[in-house]
C-alpha cells in the first residue's frame, strides 16, 4: 500500500513538472522583456539555473512590483514546490516501504 501512495506522489510530481514547464518559461520571457536588471542576474539559459530557481522559490519576483510578473511566477513557484514535495514524499514512502518489514 505504501508503494501505491508513493506512485500517487510521483503522479503529483509529474503534474507539478507539467505546470512548471508551462509557467516558468513564460516567467523568464517576461523577466527578459520587462526587467532587464533581473534578467542580467540570471544570464542566458536560466531555465534550470540554481540562482533563478532560488529566486523563484524565495519569491524574489514580489520585489519587482509587477502584477503581471507575479501572475506568471506564482503558479511557477507553486508548481516547483509541488514537484519537489511530490518527489520528496514519494522518496519517503519508498524508504518506509523498504524499512518496514
Amino acid at each position: 500500500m505504501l508503494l501505491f501512495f508513493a506512485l500517487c506522489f510521483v503522479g503529483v510530481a509529474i503534474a507539478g513538472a507539467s505546470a512548471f514547464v508551462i509557467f516558468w518559461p513564460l516567467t523568464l520571457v517576461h523577466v527578459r522583456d520587462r526587467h532587464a536588471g533581473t534578467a542580467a542576474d540570471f544570464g542566458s539559459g536560466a531555465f534550470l539555473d540554481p540562482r533563478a530557481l532560488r529566486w523563484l522559490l524565495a519569491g524574489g519576483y514580489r520585489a519587482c512590483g509587477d502584477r503581471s510578473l507575479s501572475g506568471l511566477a506564482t503558479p511557477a513557484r507553486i508548481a516547483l514546490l509541488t514537484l519537489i514535495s511530490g518527489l520528496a514524499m514519494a522518496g519517503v514512502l519508498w524508504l518506509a516501504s523498504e524499512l518496514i518489514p
Side-chain angles (χ1 to χ4, degrees):
M1 193 69 175
L2 285 176
L3 289 178
F4 171 74
F5 287 122
L7 187 60
C8 288
F9 277 114
V10 169
V12 169
I14 290 171
S18 298
F20 181 74
V21 167
I22 292 169
F23 283 102
W24 184 230
L26 293 172
T27 303
L28 289 173
V29 168
H30 184 84
V31 167
R32 182 193 67 202
D33 292 345
R34 298 196 181 172
H35 303 281
T38 305
D41 293 341
F42 298 155
S44 62
F47 187 76
L48 292 177
D49 184 24
R51 290 180 297 154
L53 294 175
R54 194 174 312 116
W55 175 81
L56 178 66
L57 284 175
Y61 55 89
R62 293 184 194 126
C64 295
D66 184 356
R67 293 181 63 197
S68 298
L69 178 60
S70 291
L72 290 171
T74 300
R77 180 180 185 213
I78 293 170
L80 184 59
L81 289 171
T82 302
L83 170 64
I84 292 169
S85 61
L87 288 178
M89 287 303 298
V92 166
L93 289 175
W94 172 77
L95 188 62
S97 73
E98 292 290 322
L99 296 177
I100 297 173

